[in-house]
Amino acid sequence: MASTNPKAGEHVVLGAGPCGLAAARELCRGGRTPIVVEREQSAGGLASSFTDDRGFIWDLGAHVAFSPFGDFDELLDDMMGDDVLRHERSSYVVYGDRWVPYPFQHNLAMLPTDEAVECMVDLIDRPRQVVRTFDDWIMTNFGAGVANRFMRPYNAKVWTVPCTEMSADWIAERVATVNWRTALANLVHGRVTPGWGPNSTFSYPGRGGIGEPFRRLADQLPDVRYGRTVTQVDPHAHTVTLGNGERLGFQQLISTIPLTALVAALTDCPVEVRDAARALRHNQVLVVGVGARGTVRTDWHWLYFPEQVYPFYRITNIGLCAARNLPEPYDGHVSFMAEIAQPAGTPWPDAGEATRDTIRGLVRSGLLPDESSVVSTFVRRVPLAYPIPTLDRTEAVATILGYLESHQIYSRGRFGVWMYEHGNMDHAVRMGKDVARYLLSGAEELVRLPHMGAPAPTEPAGLTGTRR
């Protein structure tokens, strides 16, 4: 049973990304003094930002702030004050020589007539089948026309695995469904219906990139130790050993490092836990930034590229997110951030070759007039980008988290729970805040995870690390 009055240092937090920082902040608000351990030299994790030699600011992917959780917006406003920009999202799918407003399946009127008719017929006559995989879900919701033109190629490009190898239990608000009657009316009347989804409006820091609020939050915490790698976690002795030989005792450990890395660091655990960790899969992403002379277009924030003729699956108009992501003069530059996904463990492409391929793709798509306008480039590897919701993912995560929590180890965050559906910044912040509250008072966590079961109606779960 955890002490109700732990001394300073008895809470250790692994990782200074959004989840770990939010957890540490909440612990501090509860009168505790957590130690935060971060392997990099700065805070932010996957929500980090970087400034290149020419003054362009780059994020590690298309990160924007949107949330149904009011306390996430509160954190952003607390850190940034009035320096927060609000946007109405404008995004498109680049399909041949057309820009189809996102979501693709809502806007068939933008396709060539024969293709639109084919998609519409398949949508009406889509198969009724048992849904076991993501591919089953695509076919039963959209039919072959939309599946083959967008859903299958785009998702295979992002996830790097076929849709048949992915489960259908992660989709929720991630993929827009469509009523065929609405789709038919839109097609007949030539209407487009952009704006679907939780990020149809979003916020973005006015300066410093998406990582700025997290850097500021880290600066407010009493004990953040950078450049520390975790080499061992002893679940019985309740100790964490770091690469520099430092050994930290903990009463309760909050980990936001990848679940696979955490299990690998355990000095002892059941074989089924190790087997479950081996079942978890992910992709890797190369982020390529291209800064150029030009004027920022204000009609799109990001574009999706399902076709293989483009190396990237998404381009973000990062200069439109915030003018200060550009060097001065702001109105004389543009910046495009490309994301290129690969299967985990694939040898990284040569940075120069990837940059050249990206620039050629930008020119091909019409986003750049020619290669001579480029003035700056940026390349960053993201070895763990998306946790893949494979068919056995949920069961594996439940096995691992259940064991960890029986030893007062609480794994949270995008890769801490290996769940893309809970992988946005706001989910990460929510998980960090909630697990800290749980440890402080037994308050129930709002983001339900596979090992938790149904939420308790009234009585708090307690402080023993178990769940009903």
Side-chain angles (χ1 to χ4, degrees):
M1 175 73 70
S3 167
T4 58
N5 186 28
K7 295 177 291 186
E10 289 183 343
H11 289 99
V12 174
V13 178
L14 304 183
C19 185
L21 294 173
R25 183 188 195 217
E26 195 65 21
L27 289 171
C28 290
R29 286 178 164 181
R32 312 301 194 251
T33 309
I35 299 171
V36 180
V37 176
E38 169 56 47
R39 74 175 177 182
E40 302 294 340
Q41 296 297 333
S42 60
L46 289 174
S48 297
S49 300
F50 303 88
T51 304
D52 69 19
D53 293 340
R54 292 295 298 268
F56 290 88
I57 293 177
W58 307 102
D59 300 332
L60 292 183
H63 298 300
V64 295
F66 60 94
S67 181
F69 307 128
D71 46 5
F72 176 77
D73 294 326
E74 174 205 1
L75 185 150
L76 183 63
D77 291 338
D78 283 352
M79 295 301 111
M80 299 302 301
D82 294 332
D83 199 7
V84 177
L85 306 175
R86 315 291 180 185
H87 296 274
E88 290 189 17
R89 182 198 70 209
S90 178
S91 59
Y92 297 84
V93 176
V94 177
Y95 181 74
D97 60 354
R98 301 176 181 233
W99 284 21
V100 180
Y102 176 85
F104 183 91
Q105 57 272 24
H106 283 198
N107 295 295
L108 301 180
M110 297 300 294
L111 301 182
T113 301
D114 57 341
E115 294 192 50
V117 170
E118 182 183 335
C119 287
M120 192 69 246
V121 170
D122 288 347
L123 178 62
I124 295 172
D125 196 31
R126 62 194 185 277
R128 305 299 190 267
Q129 63 191 70
V130 175
V131 174
R132 179 173 175 267
T133 70
F134 183 33
D135 196 75
D136 296 335
W137 185 91
I138 290 171
M139 287 298 292
T140 58
N141 278 278
F142 307 116
V146 170
N148 292 332
R149 285 172 174 80
F150 177 65
M151 284 291 177
R152 281 172 171 160
Y154 180 75
N155 281 285
K157 199 173 182 182
V158 173
W159 296 104
T160 72
V161 299
C163 297
T164 53
E165 296 181 17
M166 297 170 62
S167 72
D169 64 359
W170 61 276
I171 297 163
E173 293 184 342
R174 292 291 190 167
V175 184
T177 56
V178 62
N179 181 290
W180 72 262
R181 291 177 177 84
T182 302
L184 179 59
N186 289 342
L187 179 57
V188 169
H189 295 291
R191 290 194 297 249
V192 297
T193 57
W196 176 89
N199 65 352
S200 58
T201 60
F202 65 91
S203 302
Y204 193 90
R207 69 186 67 221
I210 203 65
E212 182 65 18
F214 301 110
R215 285 192 291 267
R216 295 186 185 189
L217 174 53
D219 288 343
Q220 295 180 4
L221 298 176
D223 193 348
V224 181
R225 304 181 186 184
Y226 295 105
R228 308 291 209 278
T229 56
V230 175
T231 57
Q232 282 190 343
V233 176
D234 190 325
H236 306 291
H238 280 199
T239 58
V240 175
T241 303
L242 306 180
N244 63 354
E246 199 174 357
R247 195 176 182 210
L248 305 174
F250 65 86
Q251 187 165 24
Q252 294 162 326
L253 177 69
I254 298 173
S255 174
T256 68
I257 68 176
L259 200 52
T260 49
L262 177 59
V263 171
L266 294 176
T267 57
D268 178 60
C269 73
V271 64
E272 59 265 27
V273 173
R274 302 244 188 242
D275 288 344
R278 280 191 284 270
L280 299 178
R281 298 173 66 185
H282 65 91
N283 71 357
Q284 61 190 39
V285 165
L286 190 72
V287 176
V288 180
V290 177
R293 293 183 298 274
T295 301
V296 173
R297 285 182 56 167
T298 61
D299 57 341
W300 65 277
H301 292 97
W302 56 86
L303 304 174
Y304 302 98
F305 291 81
E307 296 174 304
Q308 288 298 321
V309 294
Y310 297 102
F312 36 76
Y313 63 85
R314 181 167 56 194
I315 293 289
T316 300
N317 186 5
I318 195 167
L320 181 58
C321 293
R324 288 189 177 90
N325 284 342
L326 303 168
E328 295 186 17
Y330 303 139
D331 59 357
H333 293 93
V334 295
S335 58
F336 302 120
M337 186 174 63
E339 296 165 85
I340 303 169
Q342 298 176 294
T346 301
W348 292 101
D350 175 76
E353 181 180 348
T355 300
R356 287 188 292 273
D357 286 345
T358 298
I359 293 172
R360 284 192 287 266
L362 292 171
V363 173
R364 179 190 183 102
S365 67
L367 297 179
L368 282 179
D370 53 58
E371 298 182 14
S372 67
S373 63
V374 175
V375 297
S376 184
T377 60
F378 170 87
V379 178
R380 190 82 174 193
R381 297 173 177 176
V382 184
L384 287 93
Y386 290 174
I388 301 176
T390 50
L391 298 174
D392 53 357
R393 182 276 316 256
T394 301
E395 182 179 354
V397 168
T399 296
I400 299 169
L401 296 187
Y403 171 76
L404 292 173
E405 294 194 13
S406 71
H407 293 278
Q408 298 290 302
I409 301 171
Y410 301 84
S411 186
R412 297 293 185 271
R414 185 187 190 104
F415 276 99
V417 299
W418 216 267
M419 301 183 78
Y420 174 72
E421 58 268 46
H422 299 320
N424 286 338
M425 289 183 299
D426 67 320
H427 285 113
V429 167
R430 180 80 253 178
M431 278 189 276
K433 187 171 185 177
D434 276 4
V435 74
R437 286 180 172 178
Y438 171 74
L439 297 180
L440 290 168
S441 66
E444 191 170 52
E445 298 181 59
L446 296 183
V447 177
R448 304 302 298 177
L449 301 176
H451 67 303
M452 290 180 176
T458 52
E459 187 180 344
L463 299 173
T464 63
T466 59
R467 290 287 192 276
R468 286 180 174 81

